[in-house]
Amino acid sequence: MQVMTSKIPQAGFSEACELNKVPILRILRTAFAECADVLEVGSGTGQHALYFSEHLPHLFWQPSDTGDYLKGLRARVDHSDLANLKITLELDVRMPSWPVEQVSGIFTANSLHFMAEKSVQELFRGVGEVLEAGGILFVYGPFRYHAEFTSESNARFDQWLKQTDPVRGIRDFEWVNELAIKQGLDLQSDTAMPANNQALVWQLAP
Ligand SMILES: C[S@@+](CC[C@H](N)C(=O)[O-])C[C@H]1O[C@@H](n2cnc3c(N)ncnc32)[C@H](O)[C@@H]1O
């Protein structure tokens, strides 16, 4: 039985997650069809973790986060009784060695523009270390293509991000894809999503 998101003490709530979880699930049903265990990096409020673990019962979902999000994430995950949702893990992508076993899938949403470029590089280093051969990396969020924003609202969002912290910002798809290629990942699909976001799916060479 699911507990209503907004009634969980200490747990935050993201309206964006409620809006994007259905279109994201459509992509994940195919992308993670062969995955047995998925690590989520930067789970935030945990709404995605609950929803995707409930709707993808063939796999185990490992939520994780660091810093301010961790307490609320733990609260939401602990209120769930989903058998395939694992206990929250503390994971900062900058950790020299990620405290996880090998996984067949990695998911992260709206995180690359919230961390410094150096941390994005660390994220891909970690992915290269913990993703099994043939495994899938799914990344959701806004990107620039050929140094252009995909919308005016994304350009304004980028300015807002940089005001909150100068190291933040919407990433260039080409730069991110280069980081992926360096880890042996091959882009499988790039799907335009609602609200000017992209769903990117890479596979590690088998
Ligand atoms: C905008 S929130 C997105 C949360 C959630 N994935 C969502 O879609 O609503 C950005 C997330 O990136 C995470 N994050 C930022 N820096 C990180 C780091 N160095 N290691 C791991 N996660 C990080 C934050 O803690 C937060 O959960």
Side-chain angles (χ1 to χ4, degrees), residues 29-104:
R29 283 197 189 286
T30 305
F32 286 162
E34 306 297 327
C35 292
D37 36 28
V38 169
L39 168 68
E40 179 179 10
V41 175
S43 297
T45 64
Q47 288 159 259
H48 280 157
L50 263 69
Y51 186 76
F52 298 139
S53 54
E54 182 184 0
H55 289 86
L56 300 169
H58 68 282
L59 54 75
F60 285 93
W61 193 277
Q62 172 66 74
S64 78
D65 214 324
T66 183
D68 294 344
Y69 283 88
L70 203 50
K71 193 172 175 187
L73 173 62
R74 286 210 166 106
R76 174 157 292 117
V77 170
D78 291 351
H79 272 75
S80 149
D81 62 359
L82 292 159
N84 63 331
L85 180 59
K86 293 187 172 180
I87 292 169
T88 302
L89 183 75
E90 182 164 9
L91 171 63
D92 187 310
V93 296
R94 296 167 294 182
M95 289 171 168
S97 174
W98 289 10
V100 285
E101 303 289 321
Q102 292 257 296
V103 288
S104 48

Side-chain angles (χ1 to χ4, degrees), residues 13 44 65 77 82-83 87-88 122 132 143 145 156-157 174 176 203:
F13 182 81
D65 214 324
V77 170
L82 292 159
I87 292 169
T88 302
E122 292 293 289
E132 285 173 11
F143 289 91
Y145 290 81
R156 285 194 299 274
F157 181 44
E174 294 81 5
V176 173
Q203 184 170 30

